[in-house]
Amino acid sequence: MPQENSLSYSVIGGLGAFLWALVSSLALLVVELMAALFTYFYLAIFEREWFGWLIGHSREVLNFCIGQIESWFPSFTNAANATLIGELAPKSMLLLLIGLVVGAAIRLVIWLARRLAGFDR
């Protein structure tokens, strides 16, 4: 029986693949976090008008989320207002939304690069 078909080779290969997935996921998370922060900083410093416009829209998104929580879970509205909703502000919601958009863009670029390079068959 060849070495590549043995059980120990499969277990070691599986552990290696798991560790590689864990390390690459953590690295991607750090890259996405830094990219989102730098995007937020850039908008706040150099694109003040657009930053204000985005904060206005993030306030609308936050108000929509608050309205949905109030309609879906009316018994938890006071607790949600005192904890989660009380801590969020439009700028926090904007940072969250920027993080989601930047993370999705980075993952799209990585996926396209892997497809074009032929790594995903």
Side-chain angles (χ1 to χ4, degrees), residues 32-89:
E32 289 176 358
L33 176 65
M34 296 307 294
L37 283 174
F38 286 134
T39 303
Y40 184 85
F41 293 154
Y42 172 79
L43 289 172
I45 294 170
F46 298 111
E47 301 289 338
R48 308 231 350 124
E49 288 182 25
W50 199 34
F51 184 71
W53 181 77
L54 288 172
I55 287 177
H57 284 295
S58 67
R59 181 176 291 120
E60 293 173 10
V61 171
L62 181 60
N63 290 336
F64 174 77
C65 292
I66 292 170
Q68 292 303 310
I69 288 174
E70 289 174 350
S71 68
W72 291 342
F73 308 108
S75 61
F76 296 116
T77 300
N78 289 335
N81 282 331
T83 57
L84 175 69
I85 297 168
E87 295 297 321
L88 286 178

Side-chain angles (χ1 to χ4, degrees), residues 3-121:
Q3 172 79 15
E4 295 146 0
N5 292 332
S6 70
L7 180 61
S8 62
Y9 183 79
S10 297
V11 170
I12 292 171
L15 285 174
F18 172 74
L19 288 175
W20 173 252
L22 186 64
V23 168
S24 63
S25 294
L26 288 174
L28 184 60
L29 179 68
V30 169
V31 168
E32 289 176 358
L33 176 65
M34 296 307 294
L37 283 174
F38 286 134
T39 303
Y40 184 85
F41 293 154
Y42 172 79
L43 289 172
I45 294 170
F46 298 111
E47 301 289 338
R48 308 231 350 124
E49 288 182 25
W50 199 34
F51 184 71
W53 181 77
L54 288 172
I55 287 177
H57 284 295
S58 67
R59 181 176 291 120
E60 293 173 10
V61 171
L62 181 60
N63 290 336
F64 174 77
C65 292
I66 292 170
Q68 292 303 310
I69 288 174
E70 289 174 350
S71 68
W72 291 342
F73 308 108
S75 61
F76 296 116
T77 300
N78 289 335
N81 282 331
T83 57
L84 175 69
I85 297 168
E87 295 297 321
L88 286 178
K91 288 183 181 179
S92 300
M93 182 59 78
L94 178 61
L95 183 58
L96 174 68
L97 295 173
I98 286 173
L100 292 171
V101 170
V102 167
I106 289 172
R107 289 172 189 261
L108 177 66
V109 167
I110 290 172
W111 178 78
L112 282 173
R114 288 181 58 92
R115 293 290 290 198
L116 291 174
F119 290 124
D120 292 338
R121 293 177 194 152

